[in-house]
Amino acid sequence: MTRPQSKSSPPESSPLSELCSALPSLPMRLREVGRFVAANDYDATTRSMRDLAAAAGADPASFTRLAKALGYSGWDELRAALTEARRPAQTAPFSGRTKGRRPGPNSDVMLVADKLESEAAGLGRISTGAVAGAAKTLHAARRIWIAGFRSCRSVAELLNYQLRLFRPDAVQLVGGSGPEDLDLGAFRAGDAVIVIGFAPYSAASVSSARAAHRSGAALIAIADTIAAPMAEGADHVLLFEAAASPGFFPSLTGAIAIAQSLAAVTFVLGGAGAKRRLEETEARLAALSQYVAERD
């Protein structure tokens, strides 16, 4: 059975990436069932079709129709594919990337050059249209929640800082002022939730994405692949290249560029009101002497 492949997907696309890609073209009812499966992939692999249908408020036969719409013979085949896709990833995601030092006197310089070249190429492949579309969702959102954990915390904090410069009352870092589960319970329809992650994915990022689904908030995933578990069923998936760069640790350069672009476009969409609030923030910072005065 031939599967369609996304340009940004891994060599062999996952059943969840197929499902997410197909959602816009599905009939409304199948789209609802598809979103339920994407948001509850663990339950989809462990519960009976009848139980899933009851939880989704759908007809059990709709799960079979969904599987066939994706090119599977039936729900059992799709569930088997979902189960296989959930097998644990490698246990050495960082040390497994290491390579021996190159021979030659300039090997270290060459590694730096290769890394910078790879980072620049990855930036050029970020979808500008997708980022701009996500920024419109942020502009329209009543509140903006930003979830980034472990190494992705730095990206989340940067985006949180930049957005708060002109929307100080509407932006919050998930887990920034207490246990993140309290913030997950505060998501509401009309909010936007940004979740940032790359393989290996943190359990907290997946929990944040699922909480966004349950609340009806718009989900924006900044991820390394459309098959990322925290990107399942997202309203916007903003892809960056993490694994292509040489070095023992995946690259966050693309994620940082996306975060800064989101802040820039959201500010422009805010118009005169956003500029006025930014000026008020600058005045407060100046009054508090937060910056060293420049010398003439």
Side-chain angles (χ1 to χ4, degrees), residues 207-292:
S207 297
S208 298
R210 291 178 176 173
H213 277 296
R214 289 192 298 269
S215 71
L219 175 61
I220 299 171
I222 302 176
D224 58 341
T225 170
I226 196 171
M230 23 73 65
E232 295 164 13
D235 297 273
H236 302 274
V237 179
L238 311 180
L239 297 176
F240 69 95
E241 295 185 7
S245 176
F248 79 94
F249 200 85
S251 172
L252 281 169
T253 301
I256 292 172
I258 289 172
Q260 297 200 114
S261 298
L262 283 173
V265 178
T266 304
F267 172 75
V268 171
L269 292 173
K275 183 177 180 182
R276 183 179 65 256
R277 288 188 290 272
L278 178 60
E279 290 170 344
E280 292 169 354
T281 300
E282 288 176 323
R284 186 178 66 257
L285 292 174
L288 294 173
S289 300
Q290 290 297 312
Y291 300 116
V292 176

Side-chain angles (χ1 to χ4, degrees), residues 2-91:
T2 302
R3 306 282 191 215
Q5 294 209 358
S6 166
K7 183 178 179 180
S8 301
S9 297
E12 184 177 351
S13 62
S14 75
L16 283 172
S17 70
E18 295 170 4
L19 173 57
C20 293
S21 298
L23 282 176
S25 62
L26 293 175
M28 178 61 71
R29 191 56 187 139
L30 287 187
R31 194 181 311 159
E32 293 174 357
V33 174
R35 287 187 179 278
F36 177 85
V37 172
N40 300 275
D41 65 300
Y42 176 77
D43 287 344
T45 63
T46 58
R47 300 177 64 180
S48 70
M49 186 168 64
R50 188 171 299 278
D51 287 346
L52 290 173
D59 179 3
S62 61
F63 285 82
T64 299
R65 291 196 295 271
L66 172 66
K68 290 184 175 180
L70 297 175
Y72 294 87
S73 61
W75 173 249
D76 286 343
E77 185 183 2
L78 174 55
R79 182 168 61 180
L82 290 169
T83 301
E84 181 65 26
R86 287 186 59 85
R87 292 187 184 279
Q90 59 176 335
T91 57

Side-chain angles (χ1 to χ4, degrees), residues 74-142:
W75 173 249
D76 286 343
E77 185 183 2
L78 174 55
R79 182 168 61 180
L82 290 169
T83 301
E84 181 65 26
R86 287 186 59 85
R87 292 187 184 279
Q90 59 176 335
T91 57
F94 308 132
S95 62
R97 291 170 50 87
T98 60
K99 297 179 181 179
R101 188 177 182 183
R102 298 182 186 183
N106 296 318
S107 60
D108 299 337
V109 174
M110 289 301 299
L111 175 58
V112 174
D114 289 347
K115 186 163 181 60
L116 293 177
E117 182 180 358
S118 175
E119 304 282 10
L123 291 178
R125 287 188 281 270
I126 292 173
S127 172
T128 55
V131 176
K136 292 180 181 178
T137 295
L138 294 183
H139 171 64
R142 183 174 58 92

Side-chain angles (χ1 to χ4, degrees), residues 134-158:
K136 292 180 181 178
T137 295
L138 294 183
H139 171 64
R142 183 174 58 92
R143 293 183 302 175
I144 299 172
W145 301 85
I146 307 171
F149 305 95
R150 303 185 67 82
S151 59
C152 291
R153 191 66 169 185
S154 60
V155 183
E157 289 178 343
L158 174 64

